[in-house]
Amino acid sequence: MSCIMIYFVTLHQEKTKYVMTISERTNEAMELLCRLVSVRSFSGDEGVAADIVEEYLRRKGLTPCRHGNNVWVVGREHCEGRPTVLLDAHIDTVRPAAGWKRDPFSPQLEGERLYGLGTNDDGGSLVSLMQAFLHLTDPELTSAYPSAPNLIFMASCEEEISGRGGIESVLPLLPPIDFAVVGEPTGMQPAVAEKGLMVIDVDEEGVSGHAARNEGVNAIYKAVDDIERIRHHEFSRVSPLLGPVKATVTIVNAGTQHNVVPAECRFTIDVRSNELYTNQELFDEISQLLQGRTTARSFRLGSSRTDMNHPIVRRAMALGLKPFGSPTLSNQAFMPFESIKIGPGDSARSHSADEFICRHEIEESIRLYTELLAQM
């Protein structure tokens, strides 16, 4: 018997009842996930998926709120003196990748695996967090969780495009948040740090001329010099969890025809920041390094880090989980409070053909989410 099961058997003293409850919640989670897979919910067009989530919560006797395609609900009872924890997972998906052998919008259960677009990213986390929220806020179980925090569940939109209509637009509407659990596929290991993202465009100016003559100033050559500077530059602050900042040139555009020396060249730098830098600091350092004109598209998507001594991190470690630093971006970038990223599934399955989640992953995540949050 697992330590998680022992905990709940002791807590409820009714093993059969508890197992049935978790099994039923897992079944409901799978059914809801099938409904969500069956509708298109690309970023910016999640309205039908939001309707499904809202309707489900209302059938549970709750009163969800909605802003755009974001849906959230506050736990039934608010206890003074307890922290308020936001449980967030996103309802939007990317478009299907090439290579699907199944209909991405027709959920198919094959053994333990449920196939369909968005099952792994981020449907598994969404339905599991929702069931943990419903369990912990069930009025009949209030006495069983005397140390549980105040909870808010949110199904957010536009996460895949870091859209301004997503969670960023909702946070000002919520009660003060002390901590967040962000559902993303991490194999149910807690990401306590996350790299940020900044995109910088660099414009090089030259002087046009005839390619056959020794005239003009080639903007491409100036860009090559700057690209080499980026390639060999090392940022001094290295994170124990996230490693060094990584700056990568990903796009280069220049020239109009083969016999004209180009007077303009633009290239783009993808910058993945660690928590030891702000995006503004990195922009300033890169701008001083290059001769071209630099423009940051946004400073919004900063890195995040949660103290290893935070109660939920200590509790995760006590359960045998291993904190790590995540290279991928999530809604944590918009949160001005501490958070961890944890959820069922595997990040490697995200955005891939024949995406899937396993039933046992959802069942285990409902248990683990509940246990993580039960004593905080």
Side-chain angles (χ1 to χ4, degrees):
M1 185 182 293
S2 71
C3 62
I4 294 176
M5 182 61 74
I6 290 172
Y7 169 83
F8 279 110
V9 170
T10 303
L11 185 62
H12 291 285
Q13 298 179 341
E14 291 184 42
K15 178 178 177 181
T16 303
K17 179 180 179 182
Y18 174 71
V19 171
M20 288 179 60
T21 299
I22 290 299
S23 178
E24 289 170 355
R25 291 200 179 281
T26 304
N27 289 338
E28 283 209 12
M30 294 288 285
E31 291 171 6
L32 179 60
L33 184 52
C34 286
R35 290 185 63 196
L36 291 169
V37 169
S38 300
V39 301
R40 285 163 170 75
S41 56
F42 305 138
S43 301
D45 190 23
E46 310 94 339
V48 177
D51 291 342
I52 290 172
V53 171
E54 185 176 4
E55 175 201 14
Y56 178 83
L57 292 171
R58 290 190 186 282
R59 285 197 288 110
K60 292 295 179 182
L62 300 171
T63 306
C65 304
R66 185 160 173 173
H67 179 72
N69 291 328
N70 303 281
V71 180
W72 72 94
V73 62
V74 178
R76 290 181 174 90
E77 183 179 355
H78 181 89
C79 297
E80 294 294 335
R82 295 187 189 177
T84 297
V85 177
L86 173 66
L87 311 179
D88 170 66
H90 64 90
I91 58 175
D92 60 316
T93 71
V94 297
R95 294 182 180 275
W100 275 82
K101 296 181 176 61
R102 302 167 176 82
D103 181 350
F105 304 106
S106 295
Q108 298 179 43
L109 185 62
E110 300 178 13
E112 275 279 301
R113 294 183 175 185
L114 176 63
Y115 289 91
L117 184 66
T119 49
N120 181 78
D121 186 14
D122 192 33
S125 295
L126 179 79
V127 297
S128 299
L129 270 178
M130 184 187 299
Q131 291 302 323
F133 168 85
L134 292 171
H135 186 80
L136 287 166
T137 59
D138 187 330
E140 295 184 4
L141 295 175
T142 300
S143 61
Y145 301 107
S147 301
N150 301 308
L151 295 176
I152 302 172
F153 170 77
M154 175 174 291
S156 54
C157 68
E158 297 187 20
E159 189 274 346
E160 295 288 2
I161 59 172
S162 301
R164 293 186 180 276
I167 193 170
E168 188 179 24
S169 69
V170 180
L171 289 178
L173 308 178
L174 301 180
I177 305 295
D178 296 296
F179 192 81
V181 174
V182 178
E184 290 281 353
T186 68
M188 286 309 289
Q189 299 298 327
V192 297
E194 176 183 271
K195 280 199 168 182
L197 168 65
M198 177 173 54
V199 179
I200 299 176
D201 293 309
V202 183
D203 292 288
E204 306 282 359
E205 293 185 2
V207 179
S208 62
H210 198 295
R213 301 167 62 87
N214 188 22
E215 60 185 26
V217 177
N218 196 320
I220 292 177
Y221 294 162
K222 295 179 70 175
V224 167
D225 290 341
D226 273 350
I227 289 171
E228 280 296 296
R229 293 184 179 98
I230 287 293
R231 182 182 181 186
H232 296 292
H233 184 67
E234 294 184 0
F235 298 90
S236 61
R237 304 174 203 167
V238 179
S239 165
L241 281 167
L242 297 174
V245 172
K246 185 170 179 57
T248 306
V249 175
T250 54
I251 302 172
V252 180
N253 288 302
T256 56
Q257 56 192 64
H258 75 89
N259 58 352
V260 176
V261 172
E264 297 177 344
C265 180
R266 166 176 283 202
F267 65 91
T268 300
I269 311 171
D270 178 287
V271 183
R272 301 289 169 157
S273 56
N274 63 31
E275 80 282 9
L276 304 180
Y277 288 91
T278 66
N279 281 340
Q280 181 68 61
E281 288 176 318
L282 291 171
F283 176 76
D284 292 342
E285 184 168 334
I286 291 170
S287 297
Q288 292 171 12
L289 181 69
L290 306 182
Q291 60 181 337
R293 186 175 69 254
T294 54
T295 306
R297 296 185 186 178
S298 171
F299 294 104
R300 297 163 61 225
L301 306 177
S303 179
S304 62
R305 170 77 182 270
T306 292
D307 193 316
M308 294 291 286
N309 288 318
H310 192 281
I312 201 168
V313 178
R314 294 202 308 268
R315 182 155 182 77
M317 294 174 68
L319 292 171
L321 305 182
K322 297 180 179 180
F324 72 101
S326 172
T328 58
L329 199 68
S330 76
N331 276 339
Q332 286 181 287
F334 300 115
M335 295 178 176
F337 37 78
E338 289 185 302
S339 62
I340 61 169
K341 179 168 64 179
I342 181 171
D346 187 338
S347 182
R349 300 179 206 156
S350 301
H351 307 179
S352 65
D354 295 318
E355 180 183 353
F356 69 89
I357 194 79
C358 295
R359 187 187 189 281
H360 71 83
E361 291 176 313
I362 289 179
E363 184 167 8
E364 187 68 10
S365 65
I366 295 171
R367 288 194 180 100
L368 190 49
Y369 278 143
T370 305
E371 187 166 0
L372 277 172
L373 294 162
Q375 296 182 14
M376 183 176 170

